[in-house]
């Protein structure tokens, strides 16, 4: 037992030392060091928080609050990641998250960093859907099972339908919300775009007679771009759109509901990108103005610069 414990301590010591060295190298301008430093720090944070989540889920179940387990663990993860890797999500529309229950929250899925996004936006009394294979991952799978995750077997339509039927019943009985990535897989886009939407979330919302709440995350390839080995600190905006009612809809409306929701979300992703570009242009113009102020206090900025600063 002592030998096993020694190996574990050696492993974590080496892990932490390597992460620290990579962070030090990243401060000298190495983008690859920054990528791997934050990657290692993220996996460590995820391991710590899912371990914490197992115990939190058990405790909250014992006191009758088990349906808030993912919210409790998610908030802890958001705090830890902000400290460990310097990545934060800023939410516009928090009142919709808090005031709409039950609901099917639908989000775009870009990368593994969306786990942090969920930790930031997750309301109480909400569970995520996930592929069934995640259930068998030690610690993470235990936490997900204990905290009420809806596992979907994408290779078996019958069991997938049964899982959604069970989720609909839970939503109606306990006013439990569900979060679903409508694209069904990570896109890894380096531009504001969406993959085609799967229809499961929209079938579920109509079946349970609850609203769809679109959660739009801006394209964050400037923070994490796996193919280019980029992982930097940064702030990522999220926009929660108004709820879309489904009480008056039937199964025949799923196709149209899927299409219109995707169009709304794609439009907002583009808007967030354009807003970010305007703000960055404005900041650049402001910096140029500060640098161009002559000794008499007169700013030497061109009209073109000023127009760009206003987004014109």
């Amino acid at each position: 037992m002592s030998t096993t414990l020694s190996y574990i301590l050696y492993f974590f010591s080496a892990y932490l030392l390597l992460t620290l060295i990579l962070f030090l190298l990243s401060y000298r301008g190495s983008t690859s060091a920054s990528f791997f430093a934050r990657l290692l720090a993220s996996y460590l944070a995820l391991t710590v928080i899912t371990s914490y989540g197992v115990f939190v889920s058990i405790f909250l179940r014992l006191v009758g609050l088990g349906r808030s387990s993912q919210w409790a663990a998610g908030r802890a993860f958001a705090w830890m990641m902000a400290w460990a890797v310097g990545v934060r999500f800023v939410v516009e529309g928090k009142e919709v998250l808090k005031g709409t229950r039950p609901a099917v929250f639908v989000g775009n899925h870009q990368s593994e960093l969306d786990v942090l996004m969920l930790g930031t936006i997750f309301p109480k009394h909400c569970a995520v859907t996930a592929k069934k294979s995640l259930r068998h991952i030690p610690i993470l799978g235990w936490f997900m099972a204990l905290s009420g995750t809806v596992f979907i077997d994408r290779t078996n339509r019958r069991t997938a339908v049964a899982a959604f039927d069970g989720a609909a019943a839970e939503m109606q009985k306990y006013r439990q919300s569900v979060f679903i990535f409508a694209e069904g897989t990570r896109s890894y886009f380096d531009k504001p775009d969406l993959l085609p939407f799967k229809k499961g979330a929209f079938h579920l919302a109509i079946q349970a007679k609850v609203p769809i709440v679109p959660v739009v995350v801006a394209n964050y390839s400037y923070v994490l771009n796996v193919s280019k080995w980029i992982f930097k600190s940064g702030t990522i905006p999220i926009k929660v759109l108004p709820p879309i009612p489904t009480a008056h809809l039937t199964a025949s409306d799923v196709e149209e509901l899927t299409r219109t929701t995707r169009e709304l979300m794609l439009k907002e992703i583009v808007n967030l990108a354009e807003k970010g570009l305007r703000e960055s242009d404005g900041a650049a113009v402001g910096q140029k103005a500060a640098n161009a102020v002559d000794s008499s206090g007169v700013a030497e900025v061109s009209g073109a610069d000023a127009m760009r600063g206003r987004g014109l």
Side-chain angles (χ1 to χ4, degrees):
M1 180 66 180
S2 59
T3 303
T4 303
L5 182 60
S6 297
Y7 280 133
I8 293 173
L9 290 174
Y10 285 140
F11 172 79
F12 276 107
S13 298
Y15 192 103
L16 290 172
L17 180 60
L18 176 59
T19 304
L20 179 60
I21 291 171
L22 288 170
F23 268 118
L24 292 173
L25 290 173
S26 72
Y27 295 141
R28 303 186 67 175
S30 172
T31 56
S32 58
S34 174
F35 176 83
F36 285 107
R38 286 183 167 82
L39 187 67
L40 291 174
S42 298
Y43 280 127
L44 180 59
L46 184 61
T47 301
V48 170
I49 294 302
T50 50
S51 301
Y52 159 78
V54 169
F55 294 103
V56 166
S57 297
I58 294 171
F59 173 75
L60 290 177
R61 276 175 171 250
L62 291 175
V63 298
L65 298 173
R67 297 180 188 281
S68 292
S69 299
Q70 293 190 5
W71 168 82
R75 289 300 187 273
F77 185 58
W79 175 84
M80 189 171 223
M81 284 288 285
W83 176 81
V85 301
V87 176
R88 295 173 176 81
F89 286 89
V90 178
V91 184
E92 180 182 349
K94 288 182 179 179
E95 68 282 356
V96 179
L97 293 173
K98 295 178 180 179
T100 310
R101 176 189 172 203
V104 174
F105 296 96
V106 173
N108 52 311
H109 199 7
Q110 297 182 60
S111 76
E112 291 80 1
L113 197 59
D114 288 334
V115 177
L116 174 56
M117 179 274 293
L118 289 174
T120 303
I121 66 102
F122 234 57
K124 294 181 180 179
H125 309 288
C126 187
V128 71
T129 60
K131 56 185 179 182
K132 188 178 180 180
S133 59
L134 291 177
R135 186 173 196 148
H136 305 295
I137 298 177
I139 304 178
L140 176 62
W142 305 339
F143 162 63
M144 296 180 80
L146 284 166
S147 61
T149 298
V150 180
F151 291 103
I152 307 297
D153 184 358
R154 296 172 184 167
T155 64
N156 189 321
R157 186 178 185 280
R158 182 180 61 82
T159 58
V161 170
F164 276 123
D165 287 344
E170 289 270 313
M171 295 175 79
Q172 293 169 337
K173 184 176 181 180
Y174 299 106
R175 298 183 65 224
Q176 177 82 353
S177 296
V178 173
F179 188 101
I180 299 177
F181 290 113
E183 295 160 288
T185 190
R186 293 177 287 271
S187 66
Y188 294 110
F189 281 137
D190 58 3
K191 60 181 180 179
D193 204 351
L194 290 171
L195 293 170
F197 277 9
K198 308 292 185 182
K199 298 175 185 175
F202 306 94
H203 275 292
L204 176 60
I206 290 175
Q207 183 180 353
K209 299 297 181 183
V210 301
I212 289 281
V213 178
V215 178
V216 183
V217 184
N219 181 271
Y220 54 69
S221 57
Y222 60 94
V223 169
L224 176 63
N225 189 318
V226 176
S227 64
K228 295 180 180 178
W229 285 11
I230 294 173
F231 194 176
K232 303 185 294 186
S233 61
T235 301
I236 302 165
I238 298 175
K239 179 72 175 290
V240 184
L241 302 183
I244 303 171
T246 67
H248 62 293
L249 302 180
T250 65
S252 62
D253 298 304
V254 167
E255 188 86 32
E256 180 66 11
L257 179 61
T258 304
R259 183 187 64 81
T260 54
T261 303
R262 184 181 183 278
E263 288 178 354
L264 281 172
M265 292 179 67
L266 182 56
K267 181 180 179 181
E268 190 57 44
I269 288 175
V270 173
N271 288 341
L272 288 171
E274 291 176 347
K275 181 181 178 182
L277 184 62
R278 288 194 300 270
E279 289 176 351
S280 63
D281 282 350
V285 170
Q287 184 61 47
K288 186 172 182 179
N291 294 338
V293 173
D294 61 19
S295 57
S296 63
V298 178
E300 300 171 352
V301 182
S302 69
D305 286 334
M307 294 290 276
R308 280 198 300 272
R310 297 177 183 176
L312 302 175

